[in-house]
Amino acid sequence: DAATTLYTLSSLRENKDRAIRAGAIRPLVDLMADSSIGMVDKAAVVLGNLANLPKGKIVIVDEGGIPILVEVVEVGSQRGKEYATATLLQLCEDSYLYRTLVLREGAIPPLVALS
């Protein structure tokens, strides 16, 4: 399973950099957007790993990850909601712009419901 392998590899910082440079974020966002594939939770975990790096945060936002993450918080599995929430938190840390984007996506109601 490619997502599981990518998760294992992305536990090391240098592999996170490689995954981001190789363009892994776009396919992960796409996997999260299509719940019929059944890969939302795994993709969310890997995306969370890549959000640990500043470049990862930038690419996640540039690739349209915020609306997808908010959607997972709204309608995903319990595990997916937790992973997506953790990733949104990482994006919002130290970034007023990203906090604003998350708020504009309507993240507050699903986050309150989750809590």
Side-chain angles (χ1 to χ4, degrees), residues 77-89:
S77 70
Q78 188 62 33
R79 179 175 278 159
K81 289 178 180 185
E82 292 171 10
Y83 295 143
T85 299
T87 303
L88 287 170
L89 175 62

Side-chain angles (χ1 to χ4, degrees), residues 29-60:
V29 170
D30 291 343
L31 285 172
M32 289 179 55
D34 187 355
S35 61
S36 68
I37 297 173
M39 297 294 293
V40 174
D41 295 353
K42 288 184 179 182
V45 171
V46 177
L47 207 61
N49 273 353
L50 299 179
N52 286 326
L53 297 180
K55 179 64 175 171
K57 292 177 184 181
I58 292 167
V59 177
I60 290 168

